[in-house]
Amino acid sequence: MSKQANQVTNRIKVADMPRRVKGSWTSMLSNPSTPAVQTVPSNEPLYCPTTRRIILISSVPGVVHGVVRTLSDACFDVMVFHRWEPEVQRHLGSDLLIYDLTATDPRRELLSIRNDLEHEYMKDTPVMYVVQDRMSLRAHELLPSEEVLIWPLASNQMVHDIERMIVRHPVISRQAAQTSQRTVFKDIWIDRDKMLVYKGENPLNLTKTEYDLLLKLIDSQGKVISREQMMHDIWETDFVGGSNVVDVHVKSLRKKLDDRPAEPEYIATVRGVGYRLAD
């Protein structure tokens, strides 16, 4: 490697890049011709160790150039289409679909679009909708707030909302689901082949019992599992006898997941019965 390349590499640590890039979004995207202000000098490369894929559908793609530029700087691969093309887009695979409704009337388009998506493969992909500020009230009546992006888009808030949506609704493509033993619930990822558990990008150090409990809950798909059933399936015993062994291990698992029993995000308690996945 040349001396100049070494100097660039030493100045830019890969682990620091997402933080440095994300800290630079200061522009408003209502004016696509206005470049984003960056704290990283323009002669230094912006390196993304990992990327995620977004499909952006807009009938006026020229208007969203600023959105594409900002998302690209935030380590997203963005593909723009003029219209919904299910045969093409289902094979591309994506972590998120963004539908631009700023040039249409969401009251007529929104429910029709959602119905179309529910009948296609993209129903398993999280979707967000961009609407004009004057239509935001109507959009929030029809959609959960997390699915709505208000135009004009403030770059910092937009990227934050998109990342939160992807983390909370991770996607595995059909092909990946067939060839991998990866199990996903919200931002928890489990590699069954290697018995590895991640929360977001961070590995979790679970005991074998905690690992089995987590898998049992996820595989139940939200159904309530009694303490007796857990004792039978995990400890291979039918003896309960007032023992709180299940509660002790669930408490330890919750602590490692940073889950609060009063406001559970992962494991909900069903009083007098057992546990289930939180909504």
Side-chain angles (χ1 to χ4, degrees), residues 105 108 269:
D105 184 352
R108 292 198 302 265
T269 301

Side-chain angles (χ1 to χ4, degrees), residues 62-79:
V63 175
V64 296
H65 283 168
V67 175
V68 175
R69 181 174 60 248
T70 297
L71 291 175
S72 297
D73 288 345
C75 295
F76 291 99
D77 294 325
V78 186
M79 294 173 289

Side-chain angles (χ1 to χ4, degrees), residues 144-160:
S145 59
E146 66 176 2
E147 295 183 15
V148 180
L149 294 169
I150 306 300
W151 186 271
L153 300 172
S155 53
N156 285 338
Q157 185 63 43
M158 175 191 69
V159 174
H160 170 77

